[in-house]
Amino acid sequence: MEDILFTQVTINKLTLKNRIYMLPMWLGFCENYEIGRKMIDFYEERAKGGAAMIAAGFATVNELAQGPVIGGHDDRFLPGLSAFAGAIKRHDCAAVMQINHAGANAFLPDGIKPVSASNVPGMSKVVPEPLTLEGIRQTIADFGETADRMKRAGFDAVEI
């Protein structure tokens, strides 16, 4: 009997060679939101190892989303994002990017207050600025723009 773990599966329009999925994790490999060679090499090794789908995370949806993680909030990050997605996909592995906004839990440079649904502090212990209705609408739009950016960079899917 064949082990189901190693059988092909189709999720919507994405066909995977097996059911091995590497979940996103924070590695601290980005500087100034830029994906560098160390991060690309780390994930490419995992793709070579036989996973069918790898998610990286998380990418910012705007400048208040979090401190130095993967930059997803601006087109200037497209070259690094594209190289990253390409390195994973080169090994018959789907590339997924987790996009997120940490809200009150965002760790930002000194003097920059996080934004959230309320003024209740998160893990950073900084009292966040409550979002206005316009701020909420903008954050929703930021998620959409970031998801589109990931598609343009070559990712097969986004995880929100």
Side-chain angles (χ1 to χ4, degrees), residues 20 107 116 120:
I20 300 172
F107 287 88
S116 187
V120 176

Side-chain angles (χ1 to χ4, degrees), residues 13-29:
K13 296 177 183 176
L14 185 61
T15 299
L16 305 174
K17 63 185 175 187
N18 61 47
R19 296 161 192 247
I20 300 172
Y21 176 47
M22 182 177 150
L23 298 171
M25 63 182 105
W26 183 76
L27 299 170
F29 288 168

Side-chain angles (χ1 to χ4, degrees), residues 11 15 19 30 36 40 48 70 83 85 109 121 133 144 150 158:
I11 303 168
T15 299
R19 296 161 192 247
C30 291
I40 291 170
K48 284 180 189 175
I70 299 166
L133 187 55
M150 295 307 152
V158 294

Side-chain angles (χ1 to χ4, degrees), residues 113-114 118-122 124-129:
K113 287 182 85 168
S118 72
N119 64 352
V120 176
S124 71
K125 307 294 186 212
V126 176
V127 176
E129 189 70 37

Side-chain angles (χ1 to χ4, degrees), residues 33 58-77 98-104 106-109 112-116 131 134-147 149-150:
Y33 301 102
F58 74 79
T60 54
V61 298
N62 60 40
E63 290 181 339
L64 297 175
Q66 177 65 353
V69 292
I70 299 166
H73 59 276
D74 193 283
D75 281 353
R76 74 180 182 266
F77 302 118
Q98 179 188 64
I99 62 175
N100 191 33
H101 192 296
F107 287 88
L108 298 168
I112 300 175
K113 287 182 85 168
V115 296
S116 187
L131 282 167
E134 180 53 37
I136 293 168
R137 287 186 180 119
Q138 183 59 56
T139 301
I140 292 168
D142 293 342
F143 269 91
E145 291 169 14
T146 301
R149 191 169 292 111
M150 295 307 152

Side-chain angles (χ1 to χ4, degrees), residues 14-18 20-22 43-55 84-96 154-157:
L14 185 61
T15 299
L16 305 174
K17 63 185 175 187
N18 61 47
I20 300 172
Y21 176 47
M22 182 177 150
Y43 278 91
E44 186 167 14
E45 264 316 297
R46 270 86 213 144
K48 284 180 189 175
M53 186 161 63
I54 292 177
F84 183 67
I88 293 169
K89 293 173 71 166
R90 192 170 17 260
H91 303 283
D92 191 24
C93 183
V96 178
F155 287 91
D156 298 296

